[in-house]
Amino acid sequence: MSKSSKTKADTDSGIKIMVSGKERLFDIDNPKLPDWVKDEAMESGGYPYDDKLDRKEYEETLERLQIELVKVQSWLGETGKRVIAVFEGRDAAGKGGSIHATREYMNPRSARVVALPKPTEKERGQWYYQRYVDHFPTSGEIVLFDRSWYNRAGVEPVMGFCTPEEHEHFLEETPNFERMPVNAGIHFFKFWLNIGREMQLKRFHDRRHDPLKIWKLSPMDIASLNKWDDYTAKRDQMLQATHTPQAPWTVVRANDKRRARINIIRRMLMELPYDGKDEKAIGEIDGNILGEGYSAILNWGVD
C-alpha cells in the first residue's frame, strides 16, 4: 500500500483497526499473518465450528449435489423455467467460489454468471435497476449474480457513491422491483454470505500474498478496512427492508467455504421442483449455517 493511500490511523507497522472491541495493528503487506488473526479467524463472528468440513466429505457431498444441478439444468431446458440467484456479502465472503461450485458442471450456454463493472456514464443516467434487468434469464436459463443491484444497499452508501436519499429510495422500492420477476414465474434466490472480521482479514492477507489471487484484492478492499461497523449497519438495514415472503434472504455463515457452498446448493435444490430429484443425495440443511433474514443475525448474534 502506498504512503499516499494511508489514513491518519496508519503507522509504520500497519493500520490501526478495531476488532472485537480491541484496537489492533494490521499490516497487509507483511507476509506473516498476525497470530491473533490466524488463531481467531475460524471462530470469528460467532462461527459455530472449530474447523473446516473434512475435505473428503466435502468433495463427495459436493459431487452428489452437482449431479442434481445437472438434472436442474435439463429440467430448465425442457420446461423453459428460469432461475435467478443473487450472491451478496462483504468483500472476501466467498461469493465467487460459491457460484463456481454451483455452476462448475452446468452448460455455460444456459447457466450464466453476471458480475458487472461499475456503471458507465450512460448507465448512471438510466433507471437504477435497468442494467441488471438486461441480464435476467430467458427461457431455460439460470443466472447467478456475483453482486447485484444490492450494491446500493452496501458499498455505495458506505463509500459515498450514492446519496442518503438514493439509499432510502432503494430500500423502499426493491421489494416492489423483486416482486415482478417472481410474479413472472422466475425462481428467485438471495444469499447473504456472512463472515467474521478476523476471517475477512485472513482472506485479504491470503490474496495479497498469493500471486494467483492478488487480482482479487482491490483498492476498495483496503479502503473498507476501517468501515466494518458501517457495513454491518447497512447490512442490517438491507435485511430488514428487503426480506419478503416473495424474495426472502438466506443468510449463510461462510467462515468455512465448504459448508457454505454445500448448504447454498442444498437450499436451491430443495426449493426447485425439478424432475428426478434425489432427496437422499441432497441431504439436510445445516441450521447452524443457513438462516432466514435479519432474524438469523439476531439469533446467531453475529456482527
Side-chain angles (χ1 to χ4, degrees):
M1 183 168 53
S2 66
K3 291 183 179 179
S4 61
S5 65
K6 290 186 176 182
T7 69
K8 292 180 180 179
D10 293 0
T11 70
D12 291 338
S13 57
I15 301 175
K16 292 181 180 179
I17 57 177
M18 293 299 297
V19 181
S20 302
K22 300 177 182 178
E23 188 175 77
R24 301 278 201 174
L25 286 176
F26 180 70
D27 185 358
I28 198 168
D29 291 324
N30 188 333
K32 185 180 185 303
L33 182 67
D35 289 341
W36 62 268
V37 175
K38 186 186 338 180
D39 295 342
E40 299 173 22
M42 182 56 71
E43 296 182 19
S44 61
Y47 195 72
Y49 295 104
D50 297 332
D51 208 348
K52 296 178 181 179
L53 182 66
D54 175 75
R55 176 178 289 276
K56 183 179 179 181
E57 180 181 352
Y58 165 68
E59 291 176 348
E60 291 176 351
T61 303
L62 181 62
E63 182 177 3
R64 292 194 297 269
L65 297 175
Q66 289 173 330
I67 289 171
E68 294 299 301
L69 286 169
V70 172
K71 296 179 186 178
V72 166
Q73 190 166 36
S74 296
W75 169 73
L76 291 173
E78 293 167 0
T79 62
K81 299 295 184 181
R82 296 163 290 172
V83 176
I84 291 174
V86 170
F87 291 76
E88 291 286 349
R90 300 180 193 266
D91 295 319
K95 299 177 291 296
S98 296
I99 290 171
H100 174 75
T102 303
R103 182 176 175 263
E104 187 173 8
Y105 293 103
M106 302 178 84
N107 187 336
R109 293 181 179 177
S110 57
R112 295 188 287 112
V113 177
V114 177
L116 300 183
K118 66 180 183 180
T120 64
E121 188 65 31
K122 177 181 179 181
E123 288 171 334
R124 282 195 290 270
Q126 295 174 340
W127 178 50
Y128 176 74
Y129 304 96
Q130 184 169 334
R131 73 185 191 125
Y132 299 101
V133 173
D134 288 343
H135 296 276
F136 275 19
T138 188
S139 176
E141 283 192 328
I142 176 172
V143 174
L144 310 169
F145 279 91
D146 187 345
R147 293 199 181 277
S148 66
W149 47 96
Y150 280 100
N151 282 330
R152 181 142 292 180
V155 63
E156 288 190 19
V158 170
M159 302 305 295
F161 298 151
C162 72
T163 66
E165 292 76 19
E166 288 172 328
H167 175 235
E168 181 179 357
H169 182 72
F170 173 85
L171 295 179
E172 292 176 353
E173 291 302 318
T174 294
N176 296 324
F177 165 67
E178 292 176 346
R179 192 173 293 112
M180 289 186 283
V182 173
N183 287 346
I186 297 177
H187 296 276
F188 192 35
F189 299 91
K190 298 190 301 189
F191 297 103
W192 173 265
L193 279 66
N194 207 78
I195 56 173
R197 183 78 161 106
E198 289 88 343
M199 180 55 75
Q200 185 189 55
L201 293 173
K202 180 182 183 300
R203 292 180 183 176
F204 280 173
H205 188 272
D206 290 346
R207 291 177 177 184
R208 171 65 181 84
H209 298 282
D210 185 337
L212 295 177
K213 295 181 180 180
I214 194 169
W215 63 272
K216 292 185 176 183
L217 187 68
S218 70
M220 194 72 65
D221 296 332
I222 304 301
S224 69
L225 282 174
N226 277 311
K227 296 183 180 294
W228 180 268
D229 290 342
D230 295 333
Y231 275 103
T232 297
K234 292 299 183 287
R235 175 205 64 191
D236 293 350
Q237 282 184 274
M238 177 197 76
L239 292 175
Q240 292 177 78
T242 63
H243 178 72
T244 65
Q246 296 81 15
W249 277 103
T250 298
V251 178
V252 186
R253 287 166 124 174
N255 280 5
D256 177 11
K257 296 177 182 180
R258 296 170 186 172
R259 287 187 175 91
R261 294 167 185 172
I262 284 173
N263 283 279
I264 286 169
I265 297 172
R266 280 176 173 158
R267 170 54 56 86
M268 295 176 68
L269 293 173
M270 285 180 171
E271 295 192 15
L272 293 172
Y274 62 96
D275 296 330
K277 182 183 295 190
D278 185 343
E279 295 185 358
K280 183 177 179 181
I282 296 171
E284 298 294 328
I285 293 290
D286 184 344
N288 288 322
I289 298 299
L290 294 194
E292 298 296 326
Y294 184 59
S295 62
I297 300 295
L298 293 177
N299 292 338
W300 292 335
V302 300
D303 59 6

